[in-house]
Amino acid sequence: MTDARGSGGGGGRVAGVPAVRHHILTVLVENKAGVLARVAGLFSRRGYNIFSLAVAPTDDDRFSRLTIVVDVESAPLEQIVQQLDKLVNVVTISELAPSDAVQRELLLATVEAEPAARSQVIQLVGVFGGEVLDVGATRLTVMLAGPPDKLDGFEGLLETYEVVDLQRTGLVALPKIDREPPPRRRLSAVASAPVQVPAPTAG
Amino acid sequence: MQLTGAQALIKSLEMQGVEVMFGLPGGAILPVYDPILDSSIRHVLVRHEQGAGHMAEGYALATGRPGVAIVTSGPGATNIVTALSNAYMDSTPLVVVTGQVPTAAIGTDAFQECDITGVTMGITKHNWLVQSAQDIPDVVASAFHIATTGRPGPVLIDVPKDVSFAPMEWYWPDTLDLPGYRVPGPPGRGEIDAALALIAAAERPVIYAGGGLLKARAAEVLRAFAERTGFPVVTTLMARGVFPDSHPQCLGMPGMHGNYTAVTAMQRADLLIALGARFDDRVTGRVDAFAPDAKILHVDIDRAELHKVRHADVAIAGDCKVVIDALMRAAAPALRRADSVLASAWWEELRRTQREFPLHYEPADGPPVKPQMVVETLRDLSPEDTIVASGVGQHQMWASQYWRFDHPYTWVNSGGAGTMGFAVPAAIGAKVGRPDRTVWAIDGDGCFQMTAQELVTAAAERIPIKVAILNNAYLGMVRQWQEMFYGERYSEVYLSPDLPDYVKWAEAMGAVGIRAESPDEVAPAIEKANAIDDRPVVVDFRTDAFEKVYPMVPAGASNDDIVLHPAHDGRVR
């Protein structure tokens, strides 16, 4: 199923599963030890399903950004967002509709390709705009970055050959910048101002 | 000024106004125990770390101030996990400090090492593994801020031994850097108008008062709001005392063992005003059959509670006191019709069910004693503002049903987690916080055996609590379920009335032990206990093992299927 609103970089579906089940949350967190465990633990103990998760520091090294693709059949999105928002290290949460987001994912695959098949694989990689990263006597390691549905198509065609190893990164996404109204549905307030410490209480 | 991390920790607790902490030392926390000798903070030495946690909870529930506990690493820390879980479920502000093995040893399976921040991640509002002594004032100030604001809850600070020893330059933070921590502000005009519209349209309203009102210290504004609207009020197990039981608009406790009027009022309501309540399964019964005709106005400081269990027609994230104040200030006509509401068919119906289906038990002339009669006699012979602590089970339900709670912060109990063994240590904590009050623990014999070693703490520290054991020689609530739902097949629930000998147990632990076996011994035993004020007292009431808690909504059933005392059977519907 393809989201009628989406096309190209806007994605449409996420990795082979109907888009309606999936929502993309981009979560800005404090870059502190254990934060990923807090987020993962919350999903686990409340029975929410994570479809994919990508995490890395942002341009501001105090913060990291998580892109979480959640399966909303496991719980209403609003409840997931509100529980996530209660984590002290979670700064902001934004939901991105696939049609309003620029999405990318990276795929690496090592393929068994005898010399006879090698040129076919290289050609396929070329058609999709990927790269060959490593070449052995009988194997190739290739890379493709793109929206998840493009990776799905590429992965399907690769299966014509013997895939030895395959790794996808999970989705990362940012809101499109040219949409009206603003595409970003901010579900939690902006980072709070520093808290004033109250004067010590007596007894 | 240069301090060690340990000195900075104790000084930070002093800066937060901590007057008492409950704890037990051990290897990894040893450096922190040294500056305690020089501190103004009282330390209560417990006999088991779970007791330290429950004492801190009892202190917090009775005083409204955060409870503080301090324990060592490994087993010391894991022993307090039950209390953290309990406090998390009941939104009780706690600050727990644990020792940790030195930083260099973390991850090596060192002696008494345990990843306590990992263990408690899901049962604390937040926790910290302190990395540097210089961070300590900042972490402590953040910990108290998070524990006590918004929806309160327990926090844990894990301090490695080398961090306690390390030098730091003392400071006290002016601001806290918590970019992800937010508390809801005042409600918007639109939310208040929408709420008032629901209130104005209601014919069969019920105020569903929850524990959040106590956390918001909203008892006075709740009373003003109730009196101005004329609406009936049910008080959940967590909210007992927030609205006086003796008030004519109080319907008492709803839920699985709620009284008939409170339960059925919610079922027939066309508007539930849920204030700091979370539609817990013990209140709603089967959710899809709960209050089927009611619109919901839900106020809670925790946004995640709104729409979680039941969709709210109007949901307001905010502090209950602030929101009720805003409703009152809006002064819409909806809030000015108490007389007509009190004269309505709705109140007439409620008064009728109150008359027809009061709480009921059959009094007994001889032994064994009826447990309900013990609670009633305790209530009548003790000061009106007595603080009552309880464990979990039949005795807890009878305490909630038959005590008359007319003051906030007089009921100290384990609600969400249902922690057996809560009563004795929680009563000790409450008494430490409110030494001016009489504190009775109403306990079961099963619960008592779990934590009663803390009577030694109470005796040694001169904390004169009183414990009423409703001794029916059974794990009574489990026995009741086996009788009603498992064909009277009693599996592993018999405890014996005489093993242990509770009077000797009390005496061995420095408390006074009293036994009451027949109804005529009940009042004299209570009067004797109430006269003792220099040591703990334990009264062993030999109660009727066959007595069951009524009414009862069976687990998973609709509240419409409420089971009444057999004396009322056949009179319903």
Side-chain angles (χ1 to χ4, degrees):
Chain A
M1 192 204 313
T2 303
D3 187 329
R5 295 168 301 172
S7 64
R13 66 178 203 170
V14 179
V17 182
V20 290
R21 286 187 54 175
H22 285 157
H23 285 262
I24 305 164
L25 297 177
T26 70
V27 183
L28 192 70
V29 299
E30 287 184 88
N31 196 359
K32 287 187 172 169
V35 174
L36 186 59
R38 291 180 198 278
V39 172
L42 171 71
F43 274 76
S44 158
R45 69 177 171 270
R46 292 202 179 261
Y48 309 153
N49 291 334
I50 296 178
F51 185 80
S52 73
L53 174 68
V55 54
T58 63
D59 55 318
D60 181 341
D61 62 9
R62 291 175 303 158
F63 301 111
S64 286
R65 190 183 305 280
L66 279 64
T67 306
I68 311 174
V69 179
V70 296
D71 181 348
V72 290
E73 289 205 343
S74 61
L77 182 68
E78 187 71 11
Q79 181 62 203
I80 296 175
V81 169
Q82 295 303 350
Q83 294 292 354
L84 206 48
D85 195 38
K86 287 204 290 183
L87 295 180
V88 169
N89 298 132
V90 168
V91 181
T92 60
I93 307 163
S94 303
E95 185 208 349
L96 297 177
S99 59
D100 293 331
V102 184
Q103 310 175 41
R104 281 297 179 274
E105 192 177 359
L106 182 72
L107 176 153
L108 295 182
T110 298
V111 184
E112 196 74 43
E114 297 292 335
R118 185 176 295 171
S119 62
Q120 294 175 28
V121 174
I122 291 171
Q123 197 178 7
L124 182 65
V125 170
V127 167
F128 274 84
E131 271 182 62
V132 177
L133 298 183
D134 200 7
V135 183
T138 62
R139 291 178 175 181
L140 291 175
T141 296
V142 302
M143 180 205 89
L144 178 65
D149 55 348
K150 186 173 174 185
L151 267 55
D152 291 346
F154 181 66
E155 190 181 331
L157 289 167
L158 269 190
E159 280 164 11
T160 314
Y161 311 92
E162 192 189 334
V163 176
V164 179
D165 271 317
L166 188 142
Q167 173 68 57
R168 291 171 68 153
T169 56
L171 184 73
V172 293
L174 286 175
K176 286 183 179 173
I177 54 179
D178 58 348
R179 290 289 168 126
E180 284 294 333
R184 190 166 191 164
R185 180 180 162 215
R186 189 177 288 281
L187 294 170
S188 59
V190 291
S192 53
V195 176
Q196 297 296 317
V197 179
T201 50
Chain B
M1 175 174 53
Q2 203 172 66
L3 300 179
T4 65
Q7 290 167 333
L9 178 60
I10 296 303
K11 192 171 171 63
S12 298
L13 295 175
E14 290 169 354
M15 291 295 285
Q16 287 291 346
V18 174
E19 57 171 18
V20 62
M21 53 190 174
F22 306 91
L24 194 146
I29 199 70
L30 262 173
V32 181
Y33 266 77
D34 187 72
I36 287 176
L37 287 171
D38 307 319
S39 174
S40 60
I41 301 173
R42 176 184 182 188
H43 181 278
V44 174
L45 176 63
V46 301
R47 264 51 178 180
H48 185 289
E49 290 91 346
Q50 183 186 357
H54 293 326
M55 286 178 205
E57 290 182 89
Y59 175 87
L61 289 167
T63 64
R65 295 195 291 272
V68 179
I70 180 165
V71 299
T72 194
S73 65
T78 56
N79 276 346
I80 209 164
V81 164
T82 300
L84 285 168
S85 172
N86 192 78
Y88 190 65
M89 291 291 268
D90 288 349
S91 309
T92 306
L94 287 195
V95 176
V96 171
V97 177
T98 51
Q100 182 55 278
V101 300
T103 316
I106 290 178
T108 66
D109 305 312
F111 178 65
Q112 292 191 332
E113 180 183 358
C114 171
D115 170 23
I116 198 64
T117 50
V119 168
T120 59
M121 210 170 260
I123 51 169
T124 51
K125 193 171 168 188
H126 195 59
N127 60 25
W128 292 261
L129 172 59
V130 182
Q131 310 277 357
S132 154
Q134 200 60 38
D135 295 343
I136 284 175
D138 217 31
V139 168
V140 172
S142 299
F144 277 82
H145 180 68
I146 289 172
T148 56
T149 55
R151 179 179 182 169
V155 298
L156 180 140
I157 305 172
D158 198 23
V159 187
K161 195 171 185 178
D162 57 318
V163 171
S164 292
F165 279 129
M168 60 84 68
E169 187 60 35
W170 171 256
Y171 65 98
W172 187 242
D174 297 324
T175 59
L176 303 175
D177 183 29
L178 297 168
Y181 184 70
R182 287 171 291 274
V183 174
R189 181 71 219 188
E191 292 173 309
I192 293 300
D193 287 346
L196 289 171
L198 282 185
I199 291 169
E203 299 284 331
R204 298 189 307 282
V206 172
I207 296 171
Y208 164 23
L213 286 161
L214 287 167
K215 302 295 192 282
R217 307 199 84 76
E220 276 180 38
V221 288
L222 171 70
R223 184 170 180 157
F225 176 70
E227 289 179 348
R228 188 137 159 218
T229 55
F231 290 178
V233 180
V234 300
T235 50
T236 69
L237 182 67
M238 290 308 298
R240 305 288 289 132
V242 77
F243 191 71
D245 276 338
S246 57
H247 194 287
Q249 285 169 246
C250 190
L251 304 186
M253 182 175 74
M256 179 174 271
H257 292 295
N259 73 75
Y260 182 80
T261 305
V263 173
T264 57
M266 293 179 93
Q267 287 303 94
R268 293 195 301 251
D270 68 354
L271 175 65
L272 288 183
I273 303 174
L275 302 172
R278 60 182 176 88
F279 295 85
D280 177 73
D281 57 83
R282 282 326 196 236
V283 167
T284 63
R286 212 179 78 216
V287 173
D288 60 11
F290 173 67
D293 303 325
K295 287 201 182 320
I296 307 291
L297 164 56
H298 194 176
V299 181
D300 202 291
I301 200 159
D302 180 358
R303 240 175 246 285
E305 291 302 338
L306 306 173
H307 312 298
K308 184 183 83 174
V309 173
R310 173 76 178 252
H311 175 78
D313 298 274
V314 175
I316 303 177
D319 178 271
C320 281
K321 188 177 178 188
V322 172
V323 174
I324 297 171
D325 269 336
L327 286 169
M328 299 282 283
R329 271 203 317 274
L335 289 183
R336 292 206 202 104
R337 50 184 198 122
D339 290 349
S340 66
V341 171
L342 288 166
S344 66
W346 176 230
W347 261 117
E348 200 178 318
E349 190 181 335
L350 297 174
R351 295 281 180 236
R352 182 174 53 75
T353 54
Q354 280 183 319
R355 279 193 306 275
E356 287 184 26
F357 304 109
L359 290 172
H360 180 80
Y361 70 94
E362 300 289 340
D365 295 332
V369 173
K370 292 288 185 174
Q372 301 94 330
M373 176 265 197
V374 174
V375 177
E376 288 182 316
T377 312
L378 262 179
R379 175 196 70 198
D380 294 341
L381 295 181
S382 302
E384 193 206 17
D385 61 358
T386 295
I387 293 172
V388 181
S390 93
V392 170
Q394 287 182 316
H395 67 276
Q396 175 192 28
M397 293 296 107
W398 287 317
S400 178
Q401 289 176 336
Y402 287 92
W403 197 269
R404 188 185 309 107
F405 291 100
D406 277 346
H407 302 280
Y409 315 107
T410 54
W411 174 233
V412 173
N413 106 119
S414 165
T419 304
M420 286 180 67
F422 182 74
V424 169
I428 292 170
K431 182 72 180 173
V432 168
R434 299 304 305 262
D436 53 319
R437 300 283 190 88
T438 298
V439 178
W440 270 100
I442 297 179
D443 215 357
D445 46 322
C447 278
F448 179 83
Q449 290 187 54
M450 288 192 175
T451 51
Q453 75 273 14
E454 299 306 343
L455 285 170
V456 178
T457 305
E461 299 265 351
R462 300 278 172 203
I463 304 164
I465 62 159
K466 305 175 201 308
V467 183
I469 305 174
L470 305 185
N471 177 6
N472 63 0
Y474 275 98
L475 297 169
M477 189 60 94
V478 182
R479 187 202 163 285
Q480 174 169 343
W481 283 49
Q482 289 178 346
E483 179 182 334
M484 294 174 75
F485 311 119
Y486 289 83
E488 298 182 50
R489 285 164 54 83
Y490 298 114
S491 176
E492 303 297 327
V493 286
Y494 181 67
L495 296 177
S496 163
D498 302 305
L499 183 66
D501 182 323
Y502 294 101
V503 170
K504 285 184 182 165
W505 180 324
E507 288 167 354
M509 294 198 166
V512 176
I514 303 170
R515 181 166 291 131
E517 299 186 76
S518 67
D520 57 359
E521 291 170 9
V522 169
I526 291 168
E527 278 169 343
K528 186 175 168 191
N530 276 338
I532 296 168
D533 202 31
D534 61 344
R535 72 196 76 181
V537 190
V538 175
V539 189
D540 173 17
F541 293 100
R542 297 298 175 90
T543 60
D544 187 344
F546 297 97
E547 201 61 29
K548 292 191 283 295
V549 182
Y550 288 112
M552 177 172 194
V553 178
S558 161
N559 281 350
D560 290 331
D561 298 326
I562 184 170
V563 177
L564 289 171
H565 189 281
H568 282 144
D569 257 5
R571 292 180 57 194
V572 186
R573 287 185 293 278

